[in-house]
């Protein structure tokens, strides 16, 4: 009896839904019949064209690799993004140590941005987990802290005995050699860990978002990066460069013809920088200051700002290229995560904060992200780079490294402290990813239960690597969100 009643009730509901849809459709058709067909189709087409112009060409296979944008969207938004957000809330990854007071090495300091949203609130050391601030900055496990502290004591004793017989000039030479050896695999200029200006920053309390920092000071930073460090001659003009002489109606084809004529490595370099720039711009559009009324700031997505930076109609076609370079950069850093997984899978690496239970959970979550990265089927093939004759390839790789290292130094010229913080972090994260991609042999030969002399990551590099990738993951997700917002507007 109950079964018959349920089936009958279900049939009645189904019939009601069908009748409702019929009536609604009839009503809409009658209303629409009063509007000329040409007017309806024309306005609809105009709305589609206007609101989807940012994305109409953002599809298909990316240049210089065999991955399509749609696959990256699905993989990131459903698999990676939720996990990486949880990981970056963990204590190990939320505290970043940085020197935001280093002077600009390339031009006189413009002075720091006075806007309140440009400021960074440092974190008192009393709030930093004891395992993070104890010992040297590159210790990331309890065992490493214990073993290396003994080794350091022995080294200090031995060097003390030796240094008594050395001249000051010889001591300086030894120090220079040590720094040179340490810097051979680094793609970034590292902050001096002994500086009194070095301080911890809680990244969750200092989020990357629009601060109002813009104009000639900001343009000069990016202009220096593109014009002086992307292997570009001054005779080739980058599209939409606000500091370049007016080029009339130049659509940038000359620049892109030049770019396509470059070798793969130099082309990749430009696309990495453009992708980083695009990612930062998306963060500013997605976390824009919408309202300051009643003493409470409201942050959220600004569709108008997004269109200004990425709509092809407003950027002479540049917007789509910028977004594609973002996806390209995402693939590069995703590949680095898949390659470095064996380094973290060793038992010696514990992501040490001094809280054993939290440390274990953090590592488990990190390994899940690495496993997802390894399972992605369309990785960028880094072996296609620096694959020519050994001497030429080595020279090109060193030139590539030094150009990127110079860009990391330019980040000390950013006048907004919060922009400088996130610029330095994301640059160091990308530099760490490049270091990983070109250290395949060293990673394969890692010992299971002891630190490796051939390949090592400091805690700074680990935090920067995952936070930088988290920023890219957020950018891909925000592109999807802006697509939805543009549909809603339509």
């Amino acid at each position: 009896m109950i079964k018959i009643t349920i089936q009958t009730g279900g049939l009645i509901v189904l019939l009601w839904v069908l009748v409702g849809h019929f009536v609604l459709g009839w009503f809409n058709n009658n209303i629409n019949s009063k509007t000329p067909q040409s007017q309806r189709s024309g306005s609809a087409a105009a709305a589609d064209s206007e609101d989807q112009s940012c994305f109409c060409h953002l599809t298909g296979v990316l240049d210089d690799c065999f991955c399509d944008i749609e696959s990256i969207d699905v993989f990131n938004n459903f698999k990676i993004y939720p996990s990486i957000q949880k990981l970056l809330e963990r204590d190990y990854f939320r505290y970043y140590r940085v020197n935001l007071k280093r002077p600009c090495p390339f031009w006189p300091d413009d002075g720091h941005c006075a806007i309140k949203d440009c400021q960074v609130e440092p974190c008192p050391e009393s709030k930093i987990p004891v395992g993070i601030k104890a010992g040297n900055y590159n210790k990331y496990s309890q065992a490493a802290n214990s073993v290396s502290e003994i080794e350091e004591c022995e080294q200090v004793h031995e060097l003390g005995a030796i240094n008594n017989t050395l001249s000051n000039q010889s001591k300086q030479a030894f120090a220079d050699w040590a720094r040179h050896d340490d810097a051979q695999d680094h793609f970034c200029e590292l902050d001096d860990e002994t500086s009194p200006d070095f301080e911890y920053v809680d990244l969750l309390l200092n989020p990357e978002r629009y601060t109002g920092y813009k104009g000639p000071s900001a343009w000069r930073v990016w202009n220096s990066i593109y014009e002086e460090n992307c292997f570009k001659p001054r005779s080739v003009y980058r599209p939409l460069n606000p500091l370049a002489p007016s080029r009339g109606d130049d659509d940038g084809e000359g620049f892109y013809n030049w770019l396509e004529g470059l070798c793969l490595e130099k082309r990749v370099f430009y696309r990495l920088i453009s992708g980083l720039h695009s990612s930062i711009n998306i963060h500013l559009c997605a976390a824009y200051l919408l309202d300051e009324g009643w003493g409470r700031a409201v942050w959220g997505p600004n569709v108008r700002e997004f269109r200004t930076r990425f709509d092809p109609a407003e950027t002479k076609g540049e917007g789509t290229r910028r977004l594609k370079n973002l996806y390209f950069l995402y693939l590069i850093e995703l590949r680095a995560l898949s390659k470095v997984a064996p380094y973290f899978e060793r038992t010696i690496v514990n992501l040490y904060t001094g809280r054993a239970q939290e440390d274990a959970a953090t590592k488990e979550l990190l390994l899940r992200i690495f496993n997802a990265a390894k399972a992605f089927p369309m990785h960028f093939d880094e072996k296609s780079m620096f694959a020519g004759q050994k001497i030429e390839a080595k020279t090109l790789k060193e030139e590539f490294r030094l150009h990127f290292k110079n860009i990391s130094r330019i980040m000390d010229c950013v006048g907004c402290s919060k922009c400088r913080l996130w610029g330095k972090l994301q640059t160091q994260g990308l530099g760490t990813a490049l270091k990983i991609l070109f250290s395949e042999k060293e990673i394969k030969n890692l010992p299971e239960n002891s630190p490796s002399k051939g390949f090592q990551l400091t805690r700074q590099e680990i935090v920067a690597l995952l936070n930088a990738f988290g920023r890219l993951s957020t950018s891909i997700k925000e592109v999807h969100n802006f697509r939805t917002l543009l549909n809603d507007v339509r």
Side-chain angles (χ1 to χ4, degrees), residues 12-46:
I12 291 172
V13 170
L14 179 59
L15 288 172
W16 176 250
V17 170
L18 291 174
V19 171
H21 281 189
F22 175 80
V23 172
L24 181 61
W26 175 86
F27 179 79
N28 286 336
N29 285 337
N30 276 275
I31 293 296
N32 289 337
S33 66
K34 298 177 182 178
T35 305
Q37 179 64 28
S38 59
Q39 182 179 335
R40 290 202 312 275
S41 59
S43 60

Side-chain angles (χ1 to χ4, degrees), residues 72-207:
I72 298 174
D73 279 335
V74 173
F75 173 76
N76 177 74
N77 297 345
F78 293 99
K79 275 196 169 184
I80 289 292
Y81 178 77
S83 297
I84 197 76
Q85 296 306 307
K86 290 180 182 177
L87 181 75
L88 299 181
E89 292 172 359
R90 300 276 181 173
D91 282 352
Y92 188 88
F93 291 100
R94 70 182 289 181
Y95 298 108
Y96 182 63
R97 205 162 175 235
V98 64
N99 181 358
L100 297 175
K101 298 177 182 177
R102 287 180 61 172
C104 173
F106 299 108
W107 56 77
D109 202 334
D110 290 330
H112 287 283
C113 173
I115 303 171
K116 65 177 182 178
D117 293 316
C118 286
Q119 308 309 311
V120 170
E121 290 295 328
C123 188
E125 289 212 17
S126 59
K127 292 189 177 181
I128 306 298
V130 63
I132 291 178
K133 63 183 178 181
N136 202 300
Y137 72 100
N138 64 342
K139 312 303 190 296
Y140 45 78
S141 73
Q142 187 172 12
N145 272 296
S146 306
V147 172
S148 49
E149 282 172 9
I150 296 172
E151 290 176 350
E152 284 174 3
C153 288
E154 292 174 350
Q155 288 173 0
V156 168
H157 178 74
E158 292 172 3
L159 288 174
I162 294 171
N163 283 346
N164 289 332
T165 64
L166 293 176
S167 67
N168 289 334
Q169 185 176 6
S170 298
K171 292 177 187 176
Q172 185 60 46
F174 276 123
D176 290 342
W177 291 341
R179 278 196 297 271
H180 177 75
D181 290 341
D182 289 342
Q184 284 304 292
D185 61 348
H186 285 119
F187 282 75
C188 290
E189 182 79 15
L190 302 180
D191 287 339
D192 179 8
E193 296 282 335
T194 63
S195 169
D197 294 325
F198 222 60
E199 55 192 359
Y200 287 100
V201 174
D202 186 337
L203 298 174
L204 297 183
L205 297 181
N206 294 275

Side-chain angles (χ1 to χ4, degrees), residues 320-338:
T320 303
R321 286 185 169 115
R322 292 170 180 173
L323 292 175
K324 285 188 174 182
N325 288 338
L326 160 68
Y327 281 81
F328 182 79
L329 174 58
Y330 180 90
L331 282 181
I332 293 289
E333 295 202 14
L334 181 68
R335 179 60 169 164
L337 295 190
S338 71

Side-chain angles (χ1 to χ4, degrees), residues 257-320:
N257 288 337
W258 164 81
L259 186 65
E260 288 304 312
L262 291 180
C263 64
L264 172 65
E265 293 81 2
K266 293 181 180 180
R267 203 161 61 239
V268 164
F269 191 96
Y270 170 80
R271 298 192 69 191
L272 294 180
I273 300 306
S274 173
L276 177 62
H277 194 184
S278 299
S279 181
I280 291 172
N281 277 332
I282 289 172
H283 304 154
L284 306 186
C285 296
Y288 201 90
L289 182 58
L290 302 177
D291 186 17
E292 273 189 292
W294 302 98
R296 183 184 177 189
V298 177
W299 305 84
N302 186 323
V303 174
R304 177 66 256 167
E305 189 69 22
F306 182 84
R307 276 182 167 159
T308 299
R309 297 172 190 259
F310 296 105
D311 191 322
E314 299 194 31
T315 61
K316 296 184 178 179
E318 274 294 294
T320 303

